Amino acid sequence: MPGNASIPTSLEGRNNAVEERRAGSYHLRFESARRRIRVYFNGLAVADSKRALILHESRHPPVFYFPREDVRMDCLEVSALTTYCPFKGNATYWSLVVGDRTAKDAGWSYDNPYPEAFPIRGWIAFYLDRLDGLKDAGTESRQDAELREGALGGNAVADWLLRRAWQATSVPEFMAGFCQELVSIGIPVWRVRLAIRTLHPQLLSSSYIWERGRQVEEEAIGHTILHDRRFLESPLVPIYEGAGGVRRRLEGDHPNLDYPVVRELKAAGATDYVAMPVTFSDGQINFISLASDTPGGFSVADLGQIYEILPILSRLLEVHALKRNAANLLDTYLGPHTGRKVLNGQIRRGDGEDIYAVIWFSDMRESTALAESMGREAFLGLLNRFFECTAGAVQANGGEVLRFIGDAALAIFPIDAPGDGIVSQNQNEEAACHRALAAVRLAQKQVASLNTQRAAAGEPRLDYGIALHVGEVTYGNIGTEDRLEFTVIGAAANEAARIESLCKVLGESILLSEDFVRLSGATLRSVGRHPLRGVALEKEIFTLRGQT
């Protein structure tokens, strides 16, 4: 029937149109630069060619590719970075080193490109914003103008966020690149501040401040700031409470200077200030502010570009924040050394290594009686103060607290393996022992201070035991398939616990094994030889008393 015959014809035409749109929506085109092109870094022309090719790629600025014969290859070092393009292939990256300056991953090449990119096989291109400039000997074309402007239309900041920001390995590095991009496209930023909330027992957030001509400054903000007048009178409060952004024009006869920060910025020469929320996917509200010192401040176009990219900015910063929070939590619950091992992939049961270390075992005496005589909250407070005195001393001297077992703590001072002949194994052992002894002395001092406070309040003194031993232990994951603990196990760890249990028997607060004393080189007083449960031979035990 005629009516039925017209349907496939219509669909075929529609499909052809779709395919045409798809084919025309993204393209590669190569053309000769037809003139001499030079690229400079640290005063040197690192590329100088009359044969350069220009690659025109949809939604990208034009890129110059240089034959290797016209590039100072002696100034290039192959980097570890590689990227993939589905129609150009794998790109190898190069860092530029000229004199005392280095531009990391400043250039790239497609050594074995797909057929679509054969014209630039083995040729090298550069990120011009990482170099000092480009000079050519011809008339500027429309494509060159677009190259200098930084994008083929659209939002240049979004283009940078999508294509370049992922390379930043930290928030300060991200912040520096982001602010430099704002400056390079003509947005008149003078000062930018970013505040990201964090998961940390002592810290509320991390603050990053970029100022034109200066490096990014990072500051850890503690929870106590919530009661600080400077915080309570800042734009952060309304933004954190969901009230939107804050804009203050600082020029004119009667600017609104209702916040201390805008008064300070005004006095420093700022002309405009805007603060906006940076919202993460879980609803957490963070903060970014921008100040300008240019007459007239920010234009609608300036702020429009920034407003448009806030969702992208938020997602990228959230990735950094999640990574930072993971590291913070692992540091808090496992310790920095152990936390790094977990982050580096030692997460399976049985993962670990044999290490040589000073082993610390400490315990608070009569904790059961104290717990029964005190309320739960008061006892927990006392236990935490005790750990601040003892485990805190370990941390202050480079040790790693691995476990809190009720009122006891297990810690280690790892002994580094000898390296390149500079430090001998004996020196490493002695250094680890001296750090452990320094921790013991600090713990003694801090517990004594705590007991002075308790005596003044009519409370009983705290007694404790600390043992130091040295030996080889297995440092790794133990537990069930889905509930693991990263700790140390082995005969040396057990022996440290047995020595600590002698403290109460011998009436001593500090006991040290003969192995520890031999390696430490310290002069200590022997308290005799004693049997240790599970150890075949009696061991000579020492204490700090009578030390000379």
Side-chain angles (χ1 to χ4, degrees):
M1 299 186 331
N4 290 336
S6 66
I7 294 175
T9 302
S10 174
L11 288 175
E12 181 179 354
R14 182 183 303 173
N15 289 336
N16 287 340
V18 169
E19 290 303 317
E20 288 176 4
R21 287 197 298 272
R22 287 176 178 170
S25 64
Y26 207 102
H27 69 272
L28 297 180
R29 180 170 61 86
F30 298 95
E31 69 168 333
S32 171
R34 298 190 181 90
R35 60 190 184 277
R36 184 181 182 185
I37 305 294
R38 287 166 290 176
V39 175
Y40 287 86
F41 180 66
N42 204 20
L44 179 70
V46 294
D48 186 344
S49 180
K50 295 180 180 179
R51 300 181 295 158
L53 289 179
I54 305 175
L55 168 60
H56 300 281
E57 182 176 348
S58 296
R59 293 185 285 279
H60 286 263
V63 176
F64 288 106
Y65 279 83
F66 299 89
R68 295 196 182 194
E69 297 82 359
D70 298 338
V71 176
R72 288 288 303 268
M73 298 300 296
D74 59 314
C75 298
L76 296 183
E77 296 179 356
V78 176
S79 71
L81 177 65
T82 59
T83 59
Y84 174 72
C85 171
F87 41 84
K88 293 198 293 289
N90 290 307
T92 299
Y93 280 75
W94 307 76
S95 294
L96 262 173
V97 182
V98 178
D100 59 350
R101 290 181 60 194
T102 298
K104 185 179 179 183
D105 302 330
W108 70 92
S109 64
Y110 291 93
D111 298 333
N112 294 291
Y114 296 147
E116 293 89 338
F118 269 174
I120 56 170
R121 181 176 182 176
W123 290 33
I124 295 179
F126 297 94
Y127 288 116
L128 296 185
D129 61 349
R130 301 189 188 184
L131 279 63
D132 295 338
L134 174 148
K135 291 184 180 179
D136 65 69
T139 303
E140 185 173 67
S141 66
R142 176 177 179 274
Q143 288 84 6
D144 296 335
E146 290 166 347
L147 180 62
R148 284 162 169 75
E149 291 168 5
L152 293 171
N155 190 315
V157 187
D159 186 78
W160 179 86
L161 288 171
L162 290 172
R163 304 186 195 285
R164 301 284 299 283
W166 62 270
Q167 298 179 29
T169 58
S170 65
V171 175
E173 184 180 345
F174 177 94
M175 183 96 163
F178 174 67
C179 295
Q180 288 165 8
E181 179 65 16
L182 296 181
V183 171
S184 71
I185 65 172
I187 296 179
V189 289
W190 162 53
R191 183 177 182 272
V192 178
R193 182 189 176 195
L194 175 69
I196 301 178
R197 297 189 185 187
T198 188
L199 280 175
H200 193 282
Q202 295 175 318
L203 304 179
L204 173 69
S205 64
S206 294
S207 175
Y208 307 89
I209 297 177
W210 173 91
E211 198 168 296
R212 190 172 54 234
R214 300 177 62 181
Q215 293 185 334
V216 174
E217 295 181 2
E218 181 177 357
E219 181 184 4
I221 308 298
H223 290 282
T224 55
I225 198 174
L226 293 173
H227 308 290
D228 190 286
R229 181 177 178 182
R230 184 174 175 80
F231 169 78
L232 295 173
E233 296 179 355
S234 76
L236 277 82
V237 174
I239 288 178
Y240 281 169
E241 292 177 349
V246 172
R247 174 80 181 278
R248 296 291 183 266
R249 295 185 180 276
L250 306 179
E251 293 179 306
D253 295 332
H254 302 290
N256 184 0
L257 304 177
D258 51 345
Y259 294 107
V261 65
V262 297
R263 293 195 289 271
E264 293 173 7
L265 291 170
K266 166 72 173 174
T271 59
D272 203 354
Y273 173 84
V274 60
M276 295 174 283
V278 176
T279 306
F280 286 175
S281 59
D282 61 357
Q284 175 181 298
I285 297 176
N286 303 284
F287 173 95
I288 188 169
S289 68
L290 304 94
S292 176
D293 59 355
T294 299
F298 299 113
S299 68
V300 171
D302 295 332
L303 296 181
Q305 289 206 73
I306 295 170
Y307 176 75
E308 284 182 330
I309 57 89
L310 281 179
I312 309 173
L313 181 72
S314 299
R315 296 294 82 76
L316 290 168
L317 290 174
E318 186 169 4
V319 171
H320 285 286
L322 289 172
K323 183 178 178 180
R324 183 70 172 268
N325 285 341
N328 285 342
L329 292 173
L330 287 172
D331 282 357
T332 300
Y333 286 93
L334 298 180
H337 186 72
T338 307
R340 280 194 300 272
K341 287 186 174 293
V342 173
L343 279 178
N344 289 337
Q346 292 194 22
I347 58 173
R348 296 181 303 166
R349 185 169 64 170
D351 282 351
E353 59 184 323
D354 292 334
I355 67 169
Y356 199 48
V358 174
I359 304 143
W360 162 299
F361 199 92
S362 60
D363 188 16
M364 185 170 74
R365 298 282 174 251
E366 308 298 336
S367 59
T368 301
L370 284 169
E372 291 175 351
S373 65
M374 304 170 68
R376 179 188 62 82
E377 186 174 342
F379 178 70
L380 287 178
L382 176 62
L383 191 58
N384 285 331
R385 292 186 69 186
F386 172 73
F387 283 139
E388 287 173 4
C389 295
T390 53
V394 170
Q395 293 173 302
N397 285 279
E400 182 100 344
V401 179
L402 299 178
R403 298 182 67 190
F404 291 106
I405 314 158
D407 57 4
L410 172 66
I412 58 172
F413 293 82
I415 296 172
D416 298 329
D420 63 19
I422 296 176
V423 180
S424 72
Q425 179 73 24
N426 186 55
Q427 287 174 315
N428 285 325
E429 291 168 343
E430 188 172 328
C433 290
H434 285 178
R435 290 197 303 273
L437 283 173
V440 166
R441 295 187 181 101
L442 178 58
Q444 280 184 308
K445 180 180 178 181
Q446 293 181 155
V447 174
S449 177
L450 176 59
N451 277 329
T452 298
Q453 297 172 33
R454 290 178 60 79
E459 297 169 335
R461 63 176 281 110
L462 292 181
D463 289 321
Y464 61 94
I466 298 175
L468 294 179
H469 182 43
V470 65
E472 190 172 89
V473 289
T474 298
Y475 182 40
N477 283 311
I478 61 170
T480 68
E481 288 288 350
D482 54 6
R483 177 61 179 90
L484 298 172
E485 179 180 60
F486 209 109
T487 188
V488 291
I489 56 174
N494 294 336
E495 195 165 328
R498 302 292 183 265
I499 294 171
E500 190 280 325
S501 66
L502 280 177
C503 288
K504 188 174 183 180
V505 175
L506 300 179
E508 302 284 355
S509 296
I510 312 295
L511 292 178
L512 311 111
S513 72
E514 58 184 275
D515 296 318
F516 176 89
V517 173
R518 182 180 67 255
L519 294 177
S520 71
T523 303
L524 304 170
R525 179 171 65 85
S526 174
V527 293
R529 304 187 69 84
H530 298 274
L532 301 176
R533 183 164 57 88
V535 179
L537 301 176
E538 290 187 346
K539 298 287 185 177
E540 188 171 12
I541 306 299
F542 294 79
T543 183
L544 293 182
R545 290 181 181 177
Q547 179 179 340
T548 59

